[in-house]
Amino acid sequence: MSDLAKTALFDEHLLLQGKMVPFAGFAMPVQYKNGALKEYTFVREGGAGLFDITHMGQARVTGPDALAFLQYVSTNDVSKLEEGQVQYSALLNDAGSFIDDITSYKISDREFYLCINAANRHKDVAHLLTQAEAFDVVFTDESDDTTLLALQGAAAQAALQPLVDGDLESIAYYKFAQVKVCGVDGIISRTGYTGEDGFEIYIPNSSAIATWKQLLANGAEAIGLAARDMLRTEMGYALYGHEISDAVTPVEAKLMWITKLDKGDFIGSEAVQARRISGAHKRLIALKLTARGIPREHYKVFVDGVESGEVTSGMHSPMAGGVALAYVKPEHAELGELAVEIRGKLVAAERTTLPFVRSNVRR
Amino acid sequence: MTIPADLKYTKEHEWVRIEGEKATFGVSDHAQEALGDIVFVELPEVGRPLEAGEAYAVVESVKAVSDVFAPVSGVVIEVNGALEDAPELVNSDCYGAGWIAKVQIAEGSVELLSDHKYSTFLEE
């Protein structure tokens, strides 16, 4: 663990008996004293769950070409984005497959803020720096200076409001504001990865501990990576390295809704267009076991007794039972008897719709 | 960490209570603590013959899948069906209501440790 990076909150995690594990080069808490299930329940049942997700990367793009640059490197239509709005998007390579999925924050036509995945940070930054050479922009990796907290659950707003100099009520879903948090400039967006109402809070490392402690004092409870993964899987949200990777395009991953082929040329657009015509190599589905068991990542999925694909994310949902996202052959996306192979036995499953449990985000 | 004196333990962190020709199996406090929240237990079928050291059950926590190994050989005569609906009993009462299976003992055993020896083993 000694070669792992530590967030500004490392000692706070230890104080709360966080079980630290290596994650994307960081030592991060997989769970705290009470365990993942209690943490999960706290977030789902009205609490304010506090997550240190500082391992994720942040970058800023500024300059006259900022909008044109982002239009070219990302899949979603950045011209539709209003100032103060957040957009879910992706970076593709020339083959149309994923470099990463990202969120873009529009500060102005000349300034955007990006949040990228921890595991992909250096790859993304290298790619974006190379692409930035052709545009009149300055691209800055701000990851090392930034602490990112997520505060998720029905009580999030009440716990956060006393720390902030603006009215959180005015920040709608997928909107953000540049505000003072504990007296220091930060960004707060009404976004998250749990399916609950809540916020993501970008602050300088220097105010991480004060903000963290204040939120705990306001009733928030620390939540680790295990519960975070449960909450995200129940929503069916894609995770890089699982549902999306450099082996699939948005056509396979059901992410054409963030891939706007009509916006003009962007990296990967031709390949995605070609894939759309030639057809998906495989299709992402949501399934639910109809017998007992837990479908887990890499377990094989069978359709009509023949191997068709594998689970990309699976879990025991306290509310929905054994649920999973899985890739299957395109012809099996809608038809055929599904089963998941668990320790050599086929366990019956059925297709279902996402999210696996009700989303409480504030739309 | 509890290690009752009336049980024997294995280096795989199972416990066994031997009463005449019968034995009860479970996992130790150390095991349930290390596994974290247990959300699923796959039980063996009654009548299944087990060799000492054989994986006879599976416990799954939020993040991990772990085999549970038989401390002694025997034939399964009873399983703890309560774990199907309440796998968390393994966490809350690993030496009591969280027992996993009972066997009719046959010949054969893995190395069994007394509570003292198991305690020393855990410290090493």
Side-chain angles (χ1 to χ4, degrees), chain A residues 152-234:
Chain A
Q152 302 279 298
Q157 185 165 321
L160 180 58
Q161 185 62 69
L163 285 63
V164 180
D165 71 344
D167 182 9
L168 293 175
E169 190 60 35
S170 65
I171 305 177
Y173 187 59
Y174 263 72
K175 296 284 175 61
F176 72 94
Q178 300 186 88
V179 293
K180 288 208 189 306
V181 185
C182 291
V184 179
D185 286 332
I187 293 176
I188 290 179
S189 55
R190 195 182 289 271
T191 51
Y193 207 41
T194 63
E196 298 298 326
D197 185 30
F199 302 91
E200 290 175 309
I201 306 157
Y202 301 80
I203 47 174
N205 292 338
S206 54
S207 62
I209 292 176
T211 304
W212 175 267
K213 288 190 165 180
Q214 195 61 55
L215 289 171
L216 293 178
N218 292 354
E221 288 188 14
I223 312 292
L225 292 175
R228 178 170 163 85
D229 197 49
M230 292 175 71
L231 294 158
R232 93 74 207 169
T233 301
E234 282 188 335

Side-chain angles (χ1 to χ4, degrees), chain A residues 105-346:
Chain A
Y105 290 65
K106 179 171 179 176
I107 295 167
S108 72
D109 278 338
R110 296 168 57 98
E111 185 174 7
F112 291 83
Y113 191 68
L114 308 179
C115 186
I116 61 184
N117 271 305
N120 295 330
R121 174 188 156 195
H122 297 290
K123 178 180 73 170
D124 290 359
V125 167
H127 168 73
L128 293 171
L129 275 174
T130 305
Q131 297 300 329
E133 287 170 12
F135 293 85
D136 188 1
V137 292
V138 176
F139 179 87
T140 319
D141 179 0
E142 298 188 356
S143 309
D144 288 339
D145 306 318
T146 309
T147 289
L148 175 54
L149 303 176
L151 188 66
Q152 302 279 298
Q157 185 165 321
L160 180 58
Q161 185 62 69
L163 285 63
V164 180
D165 71 344
D167 182 9
L168 293 175
E169 190 60 35
S170 65
I171 305 177
Y173 187 59
Y174 263 72
K175 296 284 175 61
F176 72 94
Q178 300 186 88
V179 293
K180 288 208 189 306
V181 185
C182 291
V184 179
D185 286 332
I187 293 176
I188 290 179
S189 55
R190 195 182 289 271
T191 51
Y193 207 41
T194 63
E196 298 298 326
D197 185 30
F199 302 91
E200 290 175 309
I201 306 157
Y202 301 80
I203 47 174
N205 292 338
S206 54
S207 62
I209 292 176
T211 304
W212 175 267
K213 288 190 165 180
Q214 195 61 55
L215 289 171
L216 293 178
N218 292 354
E221 288 188 14
I223 312 292
L225 292 175
R228 178 170 163 85
D229 197 49
M230 292 175 71
L231 294 158
R232 93 74 207 169
T233 301
E234 282 188 335
M235 287 299 115
Y237 295 154
L239 175 60
Y240 196 90
H242 297 254
E243 289 71 39
I244 61 177
S245 70
D246 61 5
V248 296
T249 77
V251 181
E252 281 80 25
K254 274 197 170 169
L255 285 174
M256 288 308 291
W257 67 275
I258 61 162
T259 308
K260 307 298 187 186
L261 293 173
D262 56 3
K263 75 170 179 172
D265 184 40
F266 61 92
I267 299 174
S269 60
E270 282 181 19
V272 171
Q273 180 62 25
R275 181 67 58 89
R276 213 164 63 141
I277 292 162
S278 66
H281 290 176
K282 52 188 182 181
R283 295 265 303 275
L284 192 65
I285 61 165
L287 64 84
K288 180 177 175 353
L289 298 188
T290 51
R292 298 182 70 245
I294 305 178
R296 295 198 182 254
E297 189 182 3
H298 301 310
Y299 284 9
K300 288 174 183 167
V301 177
F302 284 71
V303 177
D304 296 330
V306 178
E307 189 179 335
S308 179
E310 70 171 39
V311 169
T312 53
S313 297
M315 67 178 296
H316 172 78
S317 162
M319 285 188 271
V323 296
L325 299 169
Y327 274 111
V328 294
K329 291 178 178 166
E331 63 270 28
H332 295 148
E334 273 124 37
L335 294 171
E337 285 287 318
L338 274 183
V340 177
E341 186 185 58
I342 302 178
R343 295 183 280 280
K345 287 183 211 138
L346 291 186

Side-chain angles (χ1 to χ4, degrees), chain B residues 7-27:
Chain B
L7 305 177
K8 300 286 187 203
Y9 301 86
T10 73
K11 290 181 174 175
E12 298 282 358
H13 309 290
E14 282 92 18
W15 57 262
V16 54
R17 175 181 284 116
I18 296 171
E19 294 163 305
E21 295 295 301
K22 291 176 184 165
T24 306
F25 298 167
V27 300

Side-chain angles (χ1 to χ4, degrees), chain B residues 49-118:
Chain B
L50 303 177
E51 292 263 351
E54 180 179 345
Y56 74 93
V58 177
V59 295
E60 300 198 36
S61 65
V62 169
K63 294 301 276 182
V65 181
S66 305
D67 284 329
V68 186
F69 303 96
V72 299
S73 299
V75 174
V76 178
I77 51 173
E78 194 180 345
V79 296
N80 186 2
L83 298 181
E84 294 202 350
D85 291 326
E88 64 275 13
L89 289 172
V90 177
N91 291 120
S92 59
D93 190 10
C94 66
Y95 299 116
W99 66 277
I100 296 174
K102 293 184 183 180
V103 302
Q104 182 78 34
I105 296 173
E107 200 168 311
S109 168
V110 301
E111 184 186 357
L112 298 180
L113 309 175
S114 68
D115 57 320
H116 287 295
K117 281 194 173 159
Y118 180 59

